Amino acid sequence: MSNTTDLFASAPLGPLTLPNRLVMAPLTRNRAEADGTPTPLMATYYAQRATAGLIVAEAATPNAAGQTYPNITAVHSARHVAGWRLVTDAVREAGGRMFLQLQHGGRVGHPATSGLTPLAPSPVPLPETVFTPDGHRPAVVPREMTTEDIRTTVADFARAARNALDAGFEGVEVHSANGHLLHQFLAANTNLRTDGYGGSVAARIRFTAEVVEAVAAEIGAERVGLRVSPGNTVNGIAEGETDALYPALVERLGGLGLAYLHLVHADPDAPLFGRLRAGWPGVLIANPVLPESPATQAVRHASARLLAAGADLVALGRPFLANPDLVARLRLDAPLNPVRGRYLMYVGGATGYTDYPALGEVTAQPSSSSSDALDGSRVA
């Protein structure tokens, strides 16, 4: 547990020593090639932000069925690994450290994007449209995963973790948050199963636990983090028994020696935050709730509150998106760049991606609007 509220103090994380306690949260940016291969532009983007204590790279799918949206990254082929190696080499040369988030979308996907029917714990469709190469389309009914599908997917996560290390990452973050596949197994409204993976709290946490355990066995627990978002309703999720689910998950996984637990939209005043902090024996990363374009003091205040409540590291999304030199700006109490038009997060290209200025630089600030703006839940 952290014994400092100094954002700029060094911190241990598994085999690493981080130079500060600021983590760049994983941010969906849709700049990969159509097959999920990272691009040279992505290498530039992440290298610009290498002063973060740790970068957790955007979600990468462990298999083709896990793809959510167009132009998101993947890590299940040799070509993906080679593309990611360009990114990690650039970040390491700039002095940074990276984990890769592994994410399977489950029912958050579409055949128009992946060519496959989405898989999910139960045949319950997403209650909203899904963005595809052809624009927003109605969600399809996912196929309920068989026991063999579950075993195969667990193995795919472990294989993807090995690929991530081969691509130069220091470790991986298993994504069990924000309404994607692992979170769908946790939630009562998306998991209607009556076998050993549904019904009771112990059964609903089983899939997430098995994925984490397999990944840890493959690459070493000290290189594995887990991301959760207790109570998050994004992507049509209604967990039920939130206050029982997450302490049970922490109890099952707490003895593995994982690198960290990452809490999304953490509230240091919430009783569940305190229970999870007390129950988790290792490093806790907390992601605060912030306005879309927060001021410097708001970021520092929210971060200090989380550290004072027991978080070891603070993960920030949009502040890092808009400020490649965020660490320096926070250290100097310098103003932050505002996040420009939300749709620029996802449209591809350098605009709204690699053209945010560092301190002392000036760049054009194009205005933006789009009738096809994408859901903000896709960030972080």
Side-chain angles (χ1 to χ4, degrees):
M1 184 182 295
S2 174
N3 59 4
T4 179
T5 58
D6 183 0
L7 274 175
F8 310 107
S10 63
L13 181 74
L16 305 175
T17 298
L18 309 185
N20 58 68
R21 294 171 185 262
L22 288 158
V23 176
M24 179 178 171
L27 300 162
T28 298
R29 301 308 307 274
N30 300 76
R31 261 69 176 190
E33 295 182 22
D35 72 344
T37 301
T39 61
L41 185 65
M42 291 173 58
T44 299
Y45 169 76
Y46 282 113
Q48 287 175 338
R49 290 154 178 80
T51 54
L54 176 71
I55 294 173
V56 182
E58 63 204 83
T61 59
N63 56 34
Q67 185 175 3
T68 51
Y69 308 110
N71 300 104
I72 66 163
T73 65
V75 66
H76 53 84
S77 78
R79 192 165 188 265
H80 299 149
V81 170
W84 276 121
R85 172 61 75 170
L86 295 176
V87 176
T88 60
D89 283 351
V91 170
R92 189 167 288 110
E93 185 175 349
R97 298 136 298 276
M98 295 186 81
F99 272 43
L100 177 64
Q101 186 184 80
L102 304 180
Q103 173 195 276
H104 189 300
R107 69 176 186 167
V108 185
H110 200 281
T113 301
S114 68
L116 301 168
T117 299
L119 301 178
S122 300
V124 181
L126 188 72
E128 54 197 59
T129 60
V130 178
F131 190 72
T132 77
D134 304 319
H136 286 275
R137 298 182 63 171
V140 300
V141 177
R143 180 169 67 80
E144 179 171 310
M145 295 175 73
T146 65
T147 303
E148 181 59 28
D149 289 329
I150 290 173
R151 284 196 292 264
T152 298
T153 302
V154 169
D156 287 344
F157 268 94
R159 189 176 304 108
R162 174 57 59 190
N163 287 345
L165 264 61
D166 290 345
F169 288 96
E170 306 285 356
V172 301
E173 175 178 283
V174 174
H175 192 44
S176 186
N178 295 359
H180 294 102
L181 180 63
L182 276 63
H183 199 187
Q184 291 160 27
F185 270 87
L186 296 177
N189 74 320
T190 49
N191 184 348
L192 309 182
R193 303 175 73 97
T194 57
D195 61 2
Y197 290 92
S200 69
V201 164
R204 282 154 53 197
I205 69 170
R206 180 180 170 186
F207 181 59
T208 290
E210 288 182 352
V211 169
V212 173
E213 288 161 356
V215 170
E218 179 67 30
I219 65 171
E222 73 281 2
R223 295 187 181 275
V224 181
L226 170 64
R227 194 179 206 221
V228 295
S229 55
N232 193 339
T233 61
V234 70
N235 285 317
I237 289 292
E239 290 171 343
E241 301 179 280
T242 297
D243 289 343
L245 280 169
Y246 291 95
L249 187 60
V250 162
E251 181 179 3
R252 174 157 175 174
L253 297 176
L256 286 182
L258 298 178
Y260 62 81
L261 176 68
H262 185 175
L263 298 182
V264 178
H265 294 169
D267 178 359
D269 296 327
L272 184 57
F273 179 92
R275 288 183 65 192
L276 295 180
R277 173 65 283 183
W280 183 252
V283 170
L284 181 69
I285 301 178
N287 164 234
V289 178
L290 290 168
E292 187 161 304
S293 289
T296 305
Q297 285 305 311
V299 174
R300 292 198 60 164
H301 177 70
S303 300
R305 288 185 66 234
L306 287 170
L307 292 177
D312 300 284
L313 305 170
V314 176
L316 300 171
R318 287 183 174 90
F320 267 113
L321 180 159
N323 298 275
D325 57 346
L326 179 65
V327 176
R329 288 174 186 264
L330 294 178
R331 192 188 294 272
L332 298 171
D333 285 324
L336 301 184
N337 297 321
V339 175
R340 288 187 270 130
R342 177 176 292 184
Y343 92 103
L344 291 174
M345 298 177 189
Y346 311 115
V347 296
T351 304
Y353 190 60
T354 56
D355 63 343
Y356 279 103
L359 286 170
E361 297 178 350
V362 178
T363 191
Q365 300 287 309
S367 61
S368 62
S369 62
S370 175
S371 59
D372 198 28
L374 304 184
D375 187 8
S377 67
R378 293 173 55 195
V379 173

